[in-house]
Amino acid sequence: MTEQNEFPESGRVQTRVLGTPPADAPIVDTDPVHAPEGVPGVIPQDPVKARKAERLVALLFLVTFLAGAGFIASYVIFQVGTIDRTATSNLALGGTLALALLSLAAGLTVWVRRIMPKYNLVQERHEMRSDDDTREYVQETFLQGADESGFVKHRLLRRTLLLAAAPLGLAPLVLLKDLGPLPGTSLRHTVWGEPTKDGKPRRLVVEGSGQPIRAADFNSPGGILSVVPEGYEEDLNALAKATLILLKFRPEELKSGTNLNWTHDGIVAYSKICTHVGCPAALYEQTTHHILCPCHQSTFDAADGAKVVFGPAARPLPQLPIGIDEEGYLVAKSDFDVPVGPSFWERGDAEAEVREKAS
Amino acid sequence: MNAPPKAITGVSTFVDDRIGAGNFLKRNLRKIFPDHWSFLLGEIALYSFIILLLTGTFLTFWFKPGMAETTYTGNYAPLYGVKMSEAYASALHISFDIRGGLLMRQIHHWAALLFVAGMTVHMLRVFFTGAYRKPRELNWIIGILLLSLALLEGLTGYSLPDDLLSGAGLRITEGVMLAIPIVGTYLQFFLFGGEYPGHDVISRFYSIHILLIPGILLALVTAHMILMWVQKHTQMPGKGRTEKNVVGAPFYPAFMIKAGAFFLFTFGVIALLGTFAQINPIWLFGPYTPADISAGSQPDWYMGFLEGALRLMPAWEINFLGHTVTFSVLIPALVPLGIVMTGLALYPFLEQWVTGDRREHHVADRPRNNPHRTAIGISGMTFYGILWLLGANDEISANFHISLYTTTWFGRVAIFVGPAIAYWITYRMCIGLQRKDAEVLSHGVESGVIKRMPNGQYIEIHTPPAEDIAEHIRGKKEIPVLESAEDGEGIPPKSARSALGRLRAKLSEAYGTDHVPLTDGHHEEGHEGEHAGVGAGDRKELH
Ligand code: FES
């Protein structure tokens, strides 16, 4: 240990520099830990076994190298594009990457377990708390600081500072105001209430194809039809509230919950947006006339005003008043009379209000 | 000791001259890490987090968090010409046009699942061994924050590809926000930039997902590690292990390399999953539209319990003064999560209050040795597990041909009964295991050797337990009970006279007592190492 301190004559107590330990101590001070070699707690491995393990480790590292090289090769060789080619590339890249990682991991593990010594070292803990003197000193320093700053003495200063801070604390919230417009009453309306450009009532069209529906042709064979407003076929914002399900009943099947004035020839339209938390209620069981929402299994009786028969939804699916235009196509006679979709604070008991108005 | 090679002295001198790291290293290079398999659980979470940062960065190079409509013209033929959002199109682009893109996406998703799973089991380990006790309460709370943030991070990430499945999750999020009294509508409008779905939510979730939450996570993870480092690990009871020491292997070199290897193992396994186990095949779901959904939509596993809660809840909505409160959404969305997270956060302090135990603890408890804590933990897990199971009740009823209503009703009952039963069973099991421990100490372990005595009696030879096992068992600590409620004259101290004080004393009594004392086996002179294994007399002294 010759390469000694660079400032041997600096006059102060020599601070030990890493790598230049005093002659009588190892580099890393082992103080609370027992010395590394030939001491209890560090149990060396059998050198013969260690040499065997070394070969295994080397083999594993070699595999890592090959797999790593394979990964790079795969990147060059396998192109992506079609499903098949992507799958092959994924397999080659992922397989080689995983092999490289795992064999390196295995190599390191064997190294630690079979070549490095086994340890059973003991280290002392000390209590987390500082000693009393230090604590006292810190507390005093705090008090002294508070005193010096005048924060305690100058009341006016302190209070106006707090006052000054309050609006600034709110500033981030204020800045967030422009994230969105205010809700207003927008949750109460859907586009079904707006007349079309030429002032006619809006037609019901089939979701996906955009076909208008002629009442005479619609007989709901075995299921429900998903319906969207004409002119908004692609507008997700409008669809999120205005999508309908359309069903046809024989007159004797309809029960009192359904508003017959809003049907046309047994054809009924309900909002498709579940009144629970808004999933599209898309499943229909023909024999029972139950509409089932796949999200949390709220179940609505389509023959009886889509009232809830099971599940967490609390309100029926709102019914849309429908009729036909002069060409015989189904149209909306007006908007829903209650808000569709999940409940919200400002909604109130919209159903009761409607009933009151009617009576 | 040999002179250190020049390569090391040179570099270390250079570094130490400038930042004086020597003192830090002196204290820490040989830091002792105790060994127990369960200490790896937290590491899984840590390494998954690192993998998430790496793969996530890769994904950001190509992902476009936009909701503007484009027409897909990429390589995936079935969706060619379909209108979709930029976000979905770029997620497809990453999957099919970028070499390694699909792999990174799948690794990212798998790592996310493993991240939350690793945190969860790590937290359970800490809970059941009492490792959250003083001085580690702060780190426990940081851990709970980490877990909550990870859930949020998962939710925002799940929504980004803007496929049909992620849209369904977003829709539910919207409905839940709307149900929040007073501010719900505003929250929803501000988050989505207007009515659902609007045009902003994906880009906002993106900022939150890649910047805000990861930043906080990183800071908290760092704090978590620093605290762990400073306070040192807890250790399981065993030979030579006390509250005042740590027994194990040094950080350098053994633990360092082990940890490196374990990181690689974690990465390797996740890479295997990403390669061979398809996850979230967004190209099969199609672009999001609010009008469609597929049956059997499932969230990622860690959201399953919220989903289950929503499904269990019966319809309940009230109107008052022109306002609507939807308990059928509000309760399942907030209460279970609230119970679990608040319960966990308060537990260390509640336990401290009940037992009056304010000492530092560094030796972990074996779960059986604190039966009430373990029972509380298991009943919490049962509560969570039932909700989680019911989150997939449609799958259950489809696969096992049970009606949906039956599964739901089962859940509605089980959510109350299940945790209670679990509590009772766990408590009994802990006591039983403690008896078993006491028996091992006092009678030794069965050797399997049957001996016939001169008088014709058969006995099984019991041998004393191996030393490390015995020490492990002997590490059991009494659970402290509050100082007796009465002083010498039968007058309880002031603090115990109020209703709360009496409750506290009662709780303390219940929490601490009913333990099984350990006795060592030197009782039958002349019969050392043997004991009649047949016959009922054994157990008497255990009580
Ligand atoms: S959204 Fe329909 S049941 Fe929950």
Side-chain angles (χ1 to χ4, degrees):
Chain A
M1 296 192 198
T2 42
E3 233 180 80
Q4 280 297 342
N5 210 317
E6 287 179 30
F7 315 102
E9 260 79 62
S10 58
R12 52 199 170 93
V13 181
Q14 283 188 7
T15 44
R16 202 155 53 71
V17 173
L18 189 73
T20 60
D24 57 341
I27 316 178
V28 176
D29 190 300
T30 50
D31 174 25
V33 180
H34 300 308
E37 293 245 342
V39 273
V42 180
I43 307 124
Q45 304 272 5
D46 172 15
V48 182
K49 283 195 189 137
R51 223 164 299 126
K52 242 200 229 148
E54 185 185 0
R55 259 171 276 152
L56 177 60
V57 174
L59 180 71
L60 285 166
F61 287 172
L62 206 64
V63 171
T64 305
F65 165 75
L66 292 175
F71 178 84
I72 293 168
S74 310
Y75 189 85
V76 179
I77 295 168
F78 298 105
Q79 299 301 313
V80 287
T82 65
I83 300 182
D84 285 344
R85 284 163 64 180
T86 302
T88 316
S89 153
N90 190 57
L91 187 68
L93 288 173
T96 47
L97 177 65
L99 184 63
L101 293 167
L102 290 175
S103 56
L104 185 56
L108 291 176
T109 309
V110 177
W111 176 18
V112 175
R113 300 187 69 118
R114 304 233 209 114
I115 300 178
M116 282 192 199
K118 295 205 185 313
Y119 294 98
N120 191 20
L121 295 176
V122 179
Q123 198 166 45
E124 298 306 315
R125 289 181 195 273
H126 38 245
E127 234 187 316
M128 281 301 133
R129 82 192 289 283
S130 331
D131 59 63
D132 288 340
D133 287 350
T134 314
R135 276 195 182 194
E136 209 171 298
Y137 174 80
V138 171
Q139 277 160 9
E140 263 164 30
T141 315
F142 265 118
L143 286 180
Q144 193 190 343
D147 218 37
E148 284 166 359
S149 70
F151 194 76
V152 185
K153 227 179 318 167
H154 300 275
R155 237 192 318 163
L156 189 60
L157 179 92
R158 191 168 69 228
R159 293 194 177 160
T160 47
L161 173 63
L162 289 178
L163 195 66
L168 283 179
L170 286 175
L173 284 183
V174 172
L175 280 175
L176 289 179
K177 161 68 184 64
D178 273 354
L179 277 175
L182 296 180
T185 57
S186 48
L187 287 178
R188 299 186 166 265
H189 312 292
T190 73
V191 295
W192 287 115
E194 306 167 9
T196 56
K197 270 183 268 124
D198 31 7
K200 293 195 196 127
R202 199 165 289 278
R203 279 180 178 170
L204 279 58
V205 302
V206 179
E207 188 213 340
S209 71
Q211 279 291 317
I213 303 154
R214 198 187 292 279
D217 299 343
F218 180 67
N219 44 18
S220 183
I224 54 175
L225 200 58
S226 198
V227 169
V228 297
E230 177 188 18
Y232 287 97
E233 294 88 345
E234 307 281 335
D235 183 335
L236 296 191
N237 282 352
L239 298 186
K241 287 193 302 186
T243 309
L244 303 177
I245 42 190
L246 205 62
L247 303 127
K248 178 156 177 155
F249 290 93
R250 273 175 277 121
E252 69 274 13
E253 288 174 322
L254 283 173
K255 297 192 205 127
S256 63
T258 311
N259 186 335
L260 289 179
N261 293 332
W262 292 355
T263 64
H264 175 84
D265 194 20
I267 302 174
V268 192
Y270 294 115
S271 163
K272 192 179 182 180
I273 311 305
C274 183
T275 55
H276 181 222
V277 286
C279 286
L283 307 179
Y284 184 58
E285 206 181 17
Q286 211 190 354
T287 46
T288 54
H289 305 305
H290 282 176
I291 300 168
L292 180 87
C293 175
C295 279
H296 316 97
Q297 284 92 45
S298 287
T299 311
F300 306 89
D301 185 353
D304 194 5
K307 71 166 203 242
V308 184
V309 290
F310 188 77
R315 288 174 294 101
L317 298 171
Q319 188 186 349
L320 184 77
I322 54 168
I324 50 170
D325 61 11
E326 57 273 24
E327 290 170 62
Y329 288 109
L330 289 173
V331 293
K333 289 204 288 194
S334 73
D335 197 358
F336 293 96
D337 63 347
V338 294
V340 302
S343 302
F344 50 94
W345 174 251
E346 296 88 346
R347 185 180 193 281
D349 196 347
E351 283 79 4
E353 280 164 35
V354 169
R355 256 177 274 130
E356 231 162 74
K357 232 183 272 166
S359 61
Chain B
M1 187 166 210
N2 318 335
K6 197 115 178 242
I8 290 184
T9 52
V11 173
S12 61
T13 309
F14 178 89
V15 172
D16 196 70
D17 283 351
R18 280 154 190 84
I19 60 177
N23 270 319
F24 174 79
L25 291 177
K26 171 181 156 185
R27 270 182 283 119
N28 290 305
L29 265 182
R30 293 292 267 191
K31 191 168 192 79
I32 298 299
F33 278 72
D35 216 4
H36 190 262
W37 65 268
S38 67
F39 294 164
L40 295 181
L41 299 173
E43 284 182 61
I44 293 180
L46 178 66
Y47 302 146
S48 309
F49 181 61
I50 295 171
I51 295 165
L52 282 168
L53 294 179
L54 294 175
T55 49
T57 307
F58 179 92
L59 296 175
T60 60
F61 294 157
W62 290 279
F63 183 68
K64 295 191 184 69
M67 295 173 89
E69 197 177 80
T70 62
T71 306
Y72 181 67
T73 53
N75 272 320
Y76 181 64
L79 287 174
Y80 190 87
V82 173
K83 292 211 175 92
M84 59 180 63
S85 67
E86 268 181 356
Y88 186 50
S90 68
L92 289 174
H93 179 67
I94 291 173
S95 306
F96 290 111
D97 304 334
I98 307 292
R99 279 174 284 177
L102 181 64
L103 184 66
M104 290 301 141
R105 250 199 64 225
Q106 303 208 119
I107 290 183
H108 194 70
H109 203 136
W110 273 116
L113 299 190
L114 208 67
F115 178 47
V116 185
M119 290 171 109
T120 309
V121 285
H122 170 62
M123 185 198 74
L124 291 176
R125 196 273 295 174
V126 169
F127 181 84
F128 284 117
T129 59
Y132 54 77
R133 287 173 297 176
K134 191 179 167 188
R136 296 187 176 76
E137 302 99 323
L138 289 179
N139 230 7
W140 171 252
I141 290 185
I142 292 180
I144 288 162
L145 284 177
L146 280 169
L147 186 59
S148 322
L149 282 170
L151 295 185
L152 259 186
E153 181 71 345
L155 180 75
T156 50
Y158 189 75
S159 307
L160 290 183
D162 205 21
D163 58 282
L164 192 55
L165 201 56
S166 84
L170 214 47
R171 179 99 224 200
I172 297 173
T173 313
E174 184 236 358
V176 168
M177 291 184 96
L178 282 181
I180 298 171
I182 306 175
V183 293
T185 338
Y186 290 86
L187 280 182
Q188 189 253 290
F189 268 66
F190 284 14
L191 182 67
F192 287 78
E195 280 191 73
Y196 179 85
H199 301 285
D200 296 324
V201 71
I202 298 287
S203 54
R204 287 182 186 170
F205 269 28
Y206 185 66
S207 320
I208 296 173
H209 182 77
I210 70 159
L211 193 65
L212 182 63
I213 302 182
I216 305 175
L217 278 177
L218 198 59
L220 287 178
V221 166
T222 313
H224 200 69
M225 305 313 294
I226 291 177
L227 274 181
M228 181 272 291
W229 190 273
V230 169
Q231 298 174 332
K232 305 191 175 121
H233 270 78
T234 53
Q235 54 195 352
M236 295 308 284
K239 191 168 165 243
R241 299 177 181 183
T242 69
E243 293 283 3
K244 293 225 172 324
N245 69 10
V246 197
V247 178
F251 175 72
Y252 169 85
F255 186 80
M256 224 158 121
I257 301 178
K258 267 194 211 168
F262 196 54
F263 169 71
L264 292 166
F265 271 126
T266 314
F267 202 168
V269 169
I270 294 178
L272 280 183
L273 284 168
T275 311
F276 294 104
Q278 187 181 67
I279 188 166
N280 204 15
I282 49 162
W283 55 91
L284 297 181
F285 307 141
Y288 177 63
T289 78
D292 297 303
I293 191 163
S294 54
S297 308
Q298 286 294 325
D300 278 335
W301 78 266
Y302 44 83
M303 283 293 155
F305 83 108
L306 282 178
E307 179 82 1
L310 282 169
R311 291 177 185 205
L312 280 192
M313 185 70 193
W316 184 17
E317 178 169 302
I318 61 160
N319 286 286
F320 76 105
L321 305 176
H323 295 296
T324 307
V325 184
T326 328
F327 290 110
S328 49
V329 179
L330 212 53
I331 290 179
L334 302 180
V335 172
L337 193 64
I339 291 180
V340 172
M341 292 298 181
T342 333
L344 286 170
L346 292 183
Y347 196 82
F349 305 101
L350 284 178
E351 189 183 57
Q352 228 169 62
W353 182 72
V354 165
T355 57
D357 179 5
R358 303 200 190 284
R359 295 167 300 175
E360 281 193 10
H361 289 277
H362 299 291
V363 175
D365 278 336
R366 298 172 76 206
R368 67 185 62 174
N369 288 339
N370 194 327
H372 281 288
R373 177 202 293 148
T374 305
I376 290 170
I378 298 281
S379 72
M381 283 172 73
T382 312
F383 177 74
Y384 181 95
I386 290 169
L387 291 179
W388 188 77
L389 200 67
L390 267 288
N393 71 336
D394 47 346
E395 301 281 350
I396 295 173
S397 56
N399 290 327
F400 298 98
H401 305 289
I402 307 168
S403 101
L404 265 180
Y405 302 153
T406 316
T407 57
T408 307
W409 271 107
F410 166 80
R412 285 176 183 174
V413 176
I415 197 63
F416 295 106
V417 180
I421 297 179
Y423 192 100
W424 187 80
I425 295 181
T426 313
Y427 186 82
R428 298 315 313 167
M429 274 174 66
C430 288
I431 298 294
L433 287 168
Q434 284 191 40
R435 290 215 173 101
K436 177 83 199 147
D437 282 347
E439 198 174 303
V440 165
L441 276 194
S442 60
H443 303 302
V445 285
E446 295 165 7
S447 64
V449 178
I450 309 283
K451 195 165 145 187
R452 189 175 171 191
M453 304 300 278
N455 62 3
Q457 181 196 16
Y458 287 97
I459 62 162
E460 183 179 4
I461 309 275
H462 279 56
T463 51
E467 199 194 356
D468 50 344
I469 293 177
E471 287 291 331
H472 190 51
I473 296 175
R474 269 189 217 109
K476 174 181 170 181
K477 290 247 174 47
E478 298 262 329
I479 306 163
V481 178
L482 278 184
E483 294 285 285
S484 149
E486 297 173 2
D487 65 9
E489 272 101 67
I491 301 162
K494 251 209 206 107
S495 60
R497 267 177 256 165
S498 63
L500 193 64
R502 280 199 302 275
L503 174 72
R504 184 180 174 202
K506 277 232 178 69
L507 284 175
S508 185
E509 234 348 70
Y511 194 84
T513 35
D514 201 5
H515 51 260
V516 183
L518 298 175
T519 40
D520 270 304
H522 310 294
H523 49 294
E524 271 171 283
E525 304 294 322
H527 267 268
E528 271 128 33
E530 317 182 338
H531 190 270
V534 202
D538 293 20
R539 292 217 162 171
K540 269 190 195 127
E541 69 193 18
L542 302 178
H543 298 277

